Amino acid sequence: MKKYLLLFTAAIMAAGCTKLPHVTFNGKVSGLHNGVFLVTDSAGLSLAGQNITDGTIKVDTVLENQGYCTLTINKNGTRDFPVEVYLQAGQYTVEADAAHLDRYPRITSSSPIQTELTAYYMLQDEMGLKRFKNPMSQLSANDGDIDKLKLDVFKAFIAKYPNSVAAAHLMADVNYGNDIEAYNKIFNKLSQVAKNSSIGKGIGKRLGLMMKLLPGAEAPDITGTTPDGKKFDRTKLDKKVYVVDFWKAGNQVSRMNHQEMVNGIIGHVDSRKVGFISISLDNKRDWWTKAITEDHLSWPQYADLKGNESANAEAWAITKIPTYYILDGKWRVIERDVTMSRLEFTINDYLAHH
């Protein structure tokens, strides 16, 4: 019995002496004499931090869980520029310049994923500076220019890291809906590890759906009913163009855009040729019907009242509200994800040529 007690005690002592994984940051921020170095987890909780008085970074902390986190180097009194990092046990060397904290710091470590993040974000900075010349012009660039930059960065990154593990994670953060075919080609070049990750599987599924919604493709049917119980019937379509509006009662942008439709667009297009159909992603019938009344929506309204889990959201690849499709009279896609500012122009331009 004494022998077993000794063994048990030894096991406890060994467990107590087990060294917990640590992550250590060392580095230099040139020109920074009054700032803060901070690392937070995905929930925003602080993992490590240090006041910087002489440009030196030297932080060591226990790392309970490895994964994607946020690193911020802040010059007191200036805007924060948080960047994404991947932490796992080991040494991280950080090099930055106080005059350019808007750029991704040069971070080196033994983590393969962090190596890829450093390469990707520094490439984005490099290509962005060449294209936009200075940070202010990049900040004022329109969404289309930023999306084009991200696509070009992604192409260059995958060419250099064809077996990237982090590729699916990075791809989830870009608006690949604006160039589905290009991103689908990129996705097909990803490693099996990236494609088979949980994020990769989600992207693959969504891209597969979106490839079926390219201009010229037949649009899906609408699931659910109108408030009075009628189902969608495409055989009753009698217009040359249809605007399909995805919305929610609790979404203020949707509601404001409805007023622009009611008080503007509808009066500026030919009602004999243009029809409107709304599909709500609400899950409460009374919210949906009350909003229809308040917004004075006179066109057909459909919902299956399953909220974000609606079959319509999946079939039409909806990831944001509001979203607008423009379809022809045969229920084929003319354009998807049309901005509100381009809606009227796109309708009239199509009618002028068809």
Side-chain angles (χ1 to χ4, degrees):
M1 185 66 167
K2 185 176 180 181
K3 177 181 177 182
Y4 291 118
L5 285 172
L6 288 171
L7 288 172
F8 182 67
T9 302
I12 292 176
M13 291 178 66
C17 293
T18 300
K19 188 176 181 181
L20 295 172
H22 277 237
V23 61
T24 302
F25 296 93
N26 291 293
K28 190 76 176 176
V29 185
S30 301
L32 186 59
H33 304 290
N34 183 23
V36 175
F37 174 85
L38 180 66
V39 180
T40 56
D41 64 15
S42 58
L45 300 176
S46 177
L47 297 177
Q50 172 198 339
N51 290 322
I52 301 175
T53 57
D54 61 355
T56 301
I57 298 171
K58 192 172 183 60
V59 180
D60 180 84
T61 187
V62 172
L63 182 67
E64 294 184 3
N65 299 296
Q66 70 179 43
Y68 292 98
C69 299
T70 301
L71 182 153
T72 304
I73 301 173
N74 173 260
K75 184 193 298 184
N76 286 342
T78 62
R79 175 183 172 184
D80 284 352
F81 290 96
V83 300
E84 182 177 52
V85 293
Y86 188 89
L87 297 189
Q88 61 186 72
Q91 299 270 348
Y92 284 68
T93 302
V94 181
E95 300 173 64
D97 186 335
H100 301 293
L101 294 179
D102 56 316
R103 301 176 192 172
Y104 197 87
R106 183 177 295 278
I107 302 173
T108 55
S109 80
S110 59
S111 165
I113 295 179
Q114 179 55 51
T115 299
E116 292 180 12
L117 293 185
T118 299
Y120 176 79
Y121 288 115
M122 291 189 73
L123 182 62
Q124 183 170 279
D125 285 340
E126 178 186 341
M127 294 178 68
L129 285 171
K130 287 180 179 178
R131 189 162 303 181
F132 299 109
K133 307 304 180 185
N134 62 69
M136 291 309 297
S137 61
Q138 185 168 345
L139 288 172
S140 61
N142 62 50
D143 290 344
D145 289 338
I146 295 298
D147 288 340
K148 181 65 167 61
L149 170 64
K150 288 185 175 182
L151 174 59
D152 291 341
V153 170
F154 218 91
K155 286 179 179 177
F157 173 75
I158 294 301
K160 187 174 182 179
Y161 292 89
N163 297 315
S164 168
V165 175
H169 170 84
L170 292 168
M171 194 170 181
D173 193 42
V174 299
N175 186 11
Y176 47 87
N178 281 353
D179 199 331
I180 304 165
E181 292 175 285
Y183 275 109
N184 191 58
K185 288 179 181 178
I186 291 174
F187 181 79
N188 288 331
K189 294 179 181 179
L190 300 188
S191 67
Q192 288 302 121
V193 172
K195 284 192 283 192
N196 289 330
S197 67
S198 58
I199 294 177
K201 288 179 180 178
I203 292 174
K205 181 179 180 180
R206 178 163 156 69
L207 280 171
L209 288 170
M210 294 173 80
M211 287 294 290
K212 297 177 182 178
L213 294 169
L214 292 172
E218 183 177 316
D221 281 330
I222 300 171
T223 302
T225 64
T226 61
D228 58 357
K230 295 178 181 177
K231 293 184 177 182
F232 173 72
D233 182 358
R234 69 170 70 189
T235 64
K236 295 184 178 179
L237 299 174
D238 60 356
K239 309 291 185 183
K240 289 192 69 173
V241 177
Y242 283 91
V243 175
V244 182
D245 156 44
F246 288 86
W247 70 292
K248 270 187 179 181
N251 182 273
Q252 290 303 308
V253 178
S254 296
R255 305 293 297 276
M256 288 189 294
N257 287 357
H258 281 165
Q259 297 315 301
E260 189 170 341
M261 289 181 190
V262 170
N263 299 317
I265 295 176
I266 287 180
H268 299 159
V269 297
D270 188 341
S271 61
R272 296 168 302 174
K273 298 178 180 179
V274 182
F276 291 76
I277 294 175
S278 290
I279 303 173
S280 168
L281 298 187
D282 281 297
N283 57 9
K284 294 185 182 294
R285 180 181 176 81
D286 55 339
W287 290 5
W288 172 46
T289 54
K290 182 181 179 184
I292 291 171
T293 301
E294 290 177 346
D295 291 356
H296 306 289
L297 306 183
S298 58
W299 55 85
Q301 304 288 322
Y302 294 92
D304 61 10
L305 298 177
K306 294 183 179 179
N308 293 335
E309 302 304 315
S310 168
N312 292 314
E314 180 173 349
W316 293 77
I318 304 300
T319 59
K320 62 182 176 64
I321 294 294
T323 290
Y324 304 103
Y325 275 78
I326 297 182
L327 309 181
D328 67 16
K330 295 183 179 179
W331 207 242
R332 295 176 302 199
V333 177
I334 296 173
E335 190 171 336
R336 64 172 299 280
D337 202 13
V338 185
T339 61
M340 190 66 189
S341 61
R342 292 189 62 252
L343 209 56
E344 184 178 329
F345 168 81
T346 307
I347 294 168
N348 288 328
D349 183 63
Y350 177 81
L351 289 175
H353 294 90
H354 294 83

